[in-house]
Each structure stands twice: as C-alpha cells, then as structure tokens.
Amino acid sequence: MRLLLRYVLPLLIALPIAALILYPQLVRCTRVGQSDDFRVLAGVKQGEVVYVNRSATARQQDRFRGQLRTARDRIRHFWGDQRGRAVLIYCPQQADYEQYCVGGEGAGCSIGTPWGASYLILGPDGNDADVIAHELCHDELFVRLGWWRVKRQIPQWFNEGLALMVDYRFSSPAVWEQPDTAQDKTSDIEDDMMPFARHPMIKLADLETTREFFGGDYGHVMLAYQTAADEVSRWLTAVGRAGVPALTNAVADGSEFGDAYRRLERTKRRVSGK
Ligand SMILES: [Zn+2]
C-alpha cells in the first residue's frame, strides 16, 4: 500500500499530464470534437466515431466510408472480433495531419494513452483500407493488453509485424486470409508487393523498442518493416489465425510474451508433426 501511494499513484497522475505537455498533438486529438475544423462522418457503424477535416470533399468522405468498411471486416476476420474503440481522425491535407500525428510521417498513425483512450489519425495517403486496417490492428492489441503491457511486454517488431499482416502493401492475404492459394501463388505475390532491397535482415533483438524500429533512415525503417512482416508471417503460418488471440490472452493473463510466442508455435508443430 505504501508503495502504491508513494510511486504508483503519483505515476498514474504524472503520466497523463506529462503526455499532454510533451505532445500538443495529443491535446488536439482529445479536443477534436470541439474543433470547428472537423465534423463527424455520417453513415458509419453505430458506436464508431470518425472525425473528418472540413477540407475533405464529398468524394473523399465516400471513399473513406468504403475503405473503413473493408478494413473493419478484415480486422474482425483476423482477430475473431473487433474490440477497439479508437476515435478516427481523417486529415486529407498534410498540414492538418501534422497537427494531429507527431512527426506527420507515413500514411497513418495511432496514439494510445495510459488512460485507455486511443486515436487513429489518417493523413493524405491514409484514405486506404490497408492503412486503416494497419492502424486498427495496433488498436486491437492496445485495447486487449492496455498501454502499460504493450509498452512493457510487446516488442515493436511484433506490434508492427502483426499490423502488417492486415496491411497488404507489405504482406499477402495468402498468409492467413486465403491460405489455400499460398503454395502456387507465391511468385505473383512477391511481384505485387512493395519492392524492398534484399539486404540481410535486421536481428529481431535489435527491433525491440520504438526507437530501435523507427530511429534510422528510410531504408532502415523499410527493412525493419520487412523483417517484422517476415517473422510474423512465418509464425502465423505455423500457429494459424487462432494463435493471435491465443497469444494476446496468454500475455493478458500474465505470461511473458517470448514464452507464449514460442510455446504456441512449439505446440502447433508438435500436433501437426512438423
Ligand atoms: Zn504500425
């Protein structure tokens, strides 16, 4: 109890305050509902909150609804159900996107807070099912494990690798969505995907933190993505789709990530005799 009062409680109070001071973008996200620059997107699923910048044309809004539907279906199929409750913020213009996403890089970004709220920000290139599904996947992991567990337990290569499994810019539906076609279509799939220089991959042990993963030039980050996607594809092919919620449940119940990750694969291989 003393420990709780002396350390945990102040930490619980300090963390949200520190987060708000450090990131003006986060403050804007929490206040997006009060901003005159945004309106609520009509015609989305009940319970889903999507804010769209006023600069978005009717056509962009229509497209966004369709892409979101595709992304959401993919997430439900991949995870078994969708529990994420993130607020989506769509900014078709880069200047607005940078106001909400720290750094303003990439097509989308996700912000999870220690107090459980989460925001997915989609930029000019984010009106796209792959991008939206990618961010929604980060949010599923976040909602199932919470901010602290994701920070403490989940290596960045797994968090990104998992999101890349529903992001077909970097992976193939054949890994889990249509596994029957995996064998004969491998060569087509390779051709469809983003071209990567075939450098030697980075060691997973060097991609544990966000800093290790994203701290580097464009080439490093792309290679980090590819390394993460390759590893999680390999694992997913062995454990199957059910392995994803199984792993998350194990970590939520207190298992160490690495143990649970390896155990699931071992068990599956033993059962199938591979
Ligand atoms: Zn990501």
Side-chain angles (χ1 to χ4, degrees):
M1 194 62 202
R2 280 254 310 267
L3 187 86
L4 191 76
L5 285 176
R6 266 182 85 166
Y7 299 106
V8 180
L9 220 58
L11 193 70
L12 285 179
I13 297 165
L15 272 175
I17 296 173
L20 288 172
I21 293 170
L22 280 171
Y23 299 113
Q25 286 86 353
L26 181 54
V27 179
R28 292 189 195 108
C29 287
T30 61
R31 301 189 51 81
V32 67
Q34 278 93 60
S35 168
D36 291 336
D37 298 333
F38 287 84
R39 67 177 123 218
V40 175
L41 184 68
V44 295
K45 204 185 71 175
Q46 209 187 358
E48 202 160 47
V49 187
V50 182
Y51 288 99
V52 175
N53 192 277
R54 284 188 184 273
S55 66
T57 63
R59 214 168 141 181
Q60 283 172 324
Q61 296 184 46
D62 266 352
R63 180 181 156 89
F64 197 90
R65 279 186 206 97
Q67 299 295 307
L68 176 59
R69 207 175 307 126
T70 306
R72 202 199 298 127
D73 289 348
R74 205 181 287 171
I75 288 292
R76 221 178 284 136
H77 189 186
F78 185 64
W79 280 91
D81 62 345
Q82 190 190 4
R83 299 188 198 162
R85 286 270 164 270
V87 171
L88 275 73
I89 302 173
Y90 170 46
C91 306
Q93 314 233 349
Q94 181 65 20
D96 298 315
Y97 179 51
E98 284 168 17
Q99 295 289 307
Y100 287 82
C101 170
V102 184
E105 279 160 36
C109 75
S110 60
I111 303 180
T113 66
W115 55 93
S118 58
Y119 304 90
L120 309 183
I121 305 111
L122 291 316
D125 299 322
N127 196 346
D128 175 271
D130 284 327
V131 178
I132 300 171
H134 179 124
E135 302 306 336
L136 285 175
C137 191
H138 284 314
D139 192 50
E140 283 302 309
L141 195 66
F142 173 78
V143 82
R144 284 154 203 257
L145 295 181
W147 183 84
W148 186 247
R149 266 214 182 86
V150 170
K151 281 261 179 279
R152 299 288 305 174
Q153 285 257 14
I154 305 298
Q156 196 61 26
W157 63 258
F158 181 76
N159 200 342
E160 289 304 332
L162 201 63
L164 294 175
M165 295 302 101
V166 294
D167 177 351
Y168 300 148
R169 295 171 304 166
F170 289 84
S171 66
S172 157
V175 174
W176 65 276
E177 232 185 339
Q178 299 124 21
D180 296 345
T181 58
Q183 249 74 46
D184 42 305
K185 288 194 71 184
T186 313
S187 55
D188 300 356
I189 292 156
E190 298 271 313
D191 292 345
D192 288 348
M193 279 191 282
M194 273 189 172
F196 288 103
R198 288 282 164 193
H199 292 299
M201 291 295 168
I202 307 170
K203 281 204 292 285
L204 292 175
D206 294 333
L207 294 174
E208 296 265 328
T209 66
T210 34
R211 191 185 294 244
E212 287 167 342
F213 200 98
F214 294 107
D217 58 12
Y218 179 79
H220 167 84
V221 178
M222 286 301 125
L223 198 56
Y225 274 132
Q226 192 59 55
T227 307
D230 284 357
E231 168 56 23
V232 179
S233 303
R234 189 198 63 73
W235 179 80
L236 199 59
T237 307
V239 303
R241 208 166 63 221
V244 177
L247 174 65
T248 320
N249 290 341
V251 174
D253 290 342
S255 290
E256 199 266 322
F257 169 83
D259 288 346
Y261 186 81
R262 285 184 292 269
R263 190 173 57 234
L264 274 163
E265 188 176 348
R266 258 198 325 267
T267 313
K268 199 72 182 191
R269 288 197 192 282
R270 207 176 296 139
V271 170
S272 61
K274 276 191 260 180

